[in-house]
Amino acid sequence: MSTIIYHNPRCTKSRLTLGILEEKGLNFEIIKYLDTPPSFDELKALLKDLGLDARSLMRKHESPYKDNQLDDESLSEDALIQAMIDHPILIERPIVKTAKGVAIGRPPENILAII
């Protein structure tokens, strides 16, 4: 499996995480997830590998979170995953996936354990 970074070029943490991958000389694929969001199944697998529920991966201060009342505790896990696909700005970033695991680059050094 190749290394993948779900990247937002406008995000400082995402750029720093990308820099770590480059420094280490790794071959990796960049997925600009705002342009190409993960599929439902991909996002569900990432959550499983991260050991998180959907709400834990959501950026709660973004307007789509508030505009769509995603703080409603009655919403299902699947509904929250679909909301992140519909509004990828809600996905915490960056996410790095390697053969050793998946990590969120917040702080960027979090990815060192999986590269």
Side-chain angles (χ1 to χ4, degrees):
M1 178 182 90
S2 65
T3 298
I4 298 170
I5 180 171
Y6 293 86
H7 178 59
N8 177 351
R10 295 183 59 201
C11 171
T12 301
K13 300 291 186 208
S14 198
R15 290 192 310 267
L16 290 170
T17 302
L18 181 67
I20 291 172
L21 295 174
E22 291 171 339
E23 276 177 22
K24 299 292 182 181
L26 298 173
N27 291 324
F28 56 90
E29 176 184 359
I30 298 172
I31 296 176
K32 294 181 181 176
Y33 70 94
L34 293 176
D35 300 328
T36 309
S39 70
F40 185 92
D41 290 339
E42 288 170 325
L43 189 51
K44 197 164 192 161
L46 287 170
L47 286 164
K48 181 180 179 202
D49 291 342
L50 286 164
L52 296 175
D53 63 12
R55 194 174 303 279
S56 298
L57 189 65
M58 296 181 95
R59 298 175 55 84
K60 296 170 185 70
H61 67 277
E62 297 290 346
S63 58
Y65 188 84
K66 297 170 189 139
D67 295 346
N68 293 287
Q69 294 84 41
L70 297 175
D71 59 344
D72 180 347
E73 294 295 326
S74 70
L75 291 171
S76 69
E77 184 78 356
D78 287 354
L80 295 174
I81 291 170
Q82 188 59 53
M84 286 190 278
I85 293 165
D86 294 342
H87 308 281
I89 193 72
L90 293 171
I91 301 171
E92 187 60 78
R93 70 214 176 220
I95 300 171
V96 175
K97 181 178 181 179
T98 71
K100 294 182 181 179
V102 179
I104 300 172
R106 287 192 168 269
E109 296 77 23
N110 280 351
I111 70 161
L112 294 174
I114 62 164
I115 59 174

